[in-house]
Amino acid sequence: DPAAAEAQHRIELGQFVGRDEVRLVENDDVGERDLVLRLRRVLQPGEQLQNWAYGVKQPHVLVIALTGAILTAMLTKNFIVALTNRRLLVLRFEGSLKVTEVTEYPLTPRPQASGSRGMLFTHLRITDPAKPFAAKFHRMGMPNNRAHSTAILEALTGVAA
């Protein structure tokens, strides 16, 4: 979606304007209920979904500035990160939540994670030699994205964000 890519471009460059919200649920016609139902498909018997958040990994800001919105949209990776009582699940997806890859991290032992929470984004990084992961979660990525991404960060790092 070129409009969403342009909005992401402005956000990344620090020119956020209220009308340029990037909202996964609205842009892709996927409701939060549908999202939770799709996440439940990858849960193990007895596993409980606790928090979930929409995040992205975009190219470096210089690449964004030099290449424009269309190429930036093509290079941006979209994720749903879900915390359960047993695992952290990272679902990479395209379009209306067509899952292309699932990565899981058991919570015991807890994955080595770090991150931060700023005005617009919660950042999460998992340092795992076999399965490294990094993404940022916009506070308006979908309903309650800020609360869910913060809860995931706190659960993984053990530090209040």
Side-chain angles (χ1 to χ4, degrees):
D1 179 8
E6 182 62 27
Q8 283 285 19
H9 176 71
R10 282 193 222 111
I11 289 167
E12 190 64 38
L13 295 176
Q15 300 171 4
F16 179 76
V17 179
R19 67 179 181 273
D20 290 327
E21 295 177 10
V22 178
R23 299 182 68 83
L24 165 75
V25 173
E26 291 174 5
N27 288 349
D28 289 332
D29 297 320
V30 176
E32 189 169 11
R33 181 178 169 173
D34 294 328
L35 173 64
V36 171
L37 289 173
R38 290 177 193 204
L39 284 170
R40 289 181 192 252
R41 292 179 188 166
V42 296
L43 297 181
Q44 299 169 344
E47 192 170 24
Q48 299 171 355
L49 185 60
Q50 296 176 339
N51 291 285
W52 57 91
Y54 164 66
V56 298
K57 183 172 184 180
Q58 292 180 308
H60 190 275
V61 68
L62 291 177
V63 173
I64 293 171
L66 295 173
T67 61
I70 294 174
L71 189 55
T72 297
M74 291 172 55
L75 295 173
T76 297
K77 296 176 184 174
N78 296 286
F79 301 97
I80 294 296
V81 176
L83 180 68
T84 75
N85 58 324
R86 299 180 190 159
R87 308 177 286 167
L88 177 73
L89 299 167
V90 177
L91 288 75
R92 183 174 173 198
F93 70 92
E94 297 173 355
S96 293
L97 290 181
K98 177 185 171 193
V99 176
T100 60
E101 180 182 346
V102 177
T103 305
E104 58 182 82
Y105 303 88
L107 295 182
T108 306
R110 188 176 3 183
Q112 186 176 359
S114 61
S116 64
R117 191 179 90 168
M119 287 182 56
L120 293 178
F121 295 102
T122 301
H123 294 264
L124 173 64
R125 177 177 304 279
I126 297 176
T127 308
D128 182 315
K131 305 179 284 188
F133 174 75
K136 61 183 179 180
F137 304 84
H138 193 282
R139 68 179 182 179
M140 291 187 263
M142 65 181 195
N144 302 310
N145 210 45
R146 175 73 152 199
H148 283 292
S149 61
T150 299
I152 292 169
L153 177 63
E154 290 176 356
L156 293 178
T157 64
V159 178

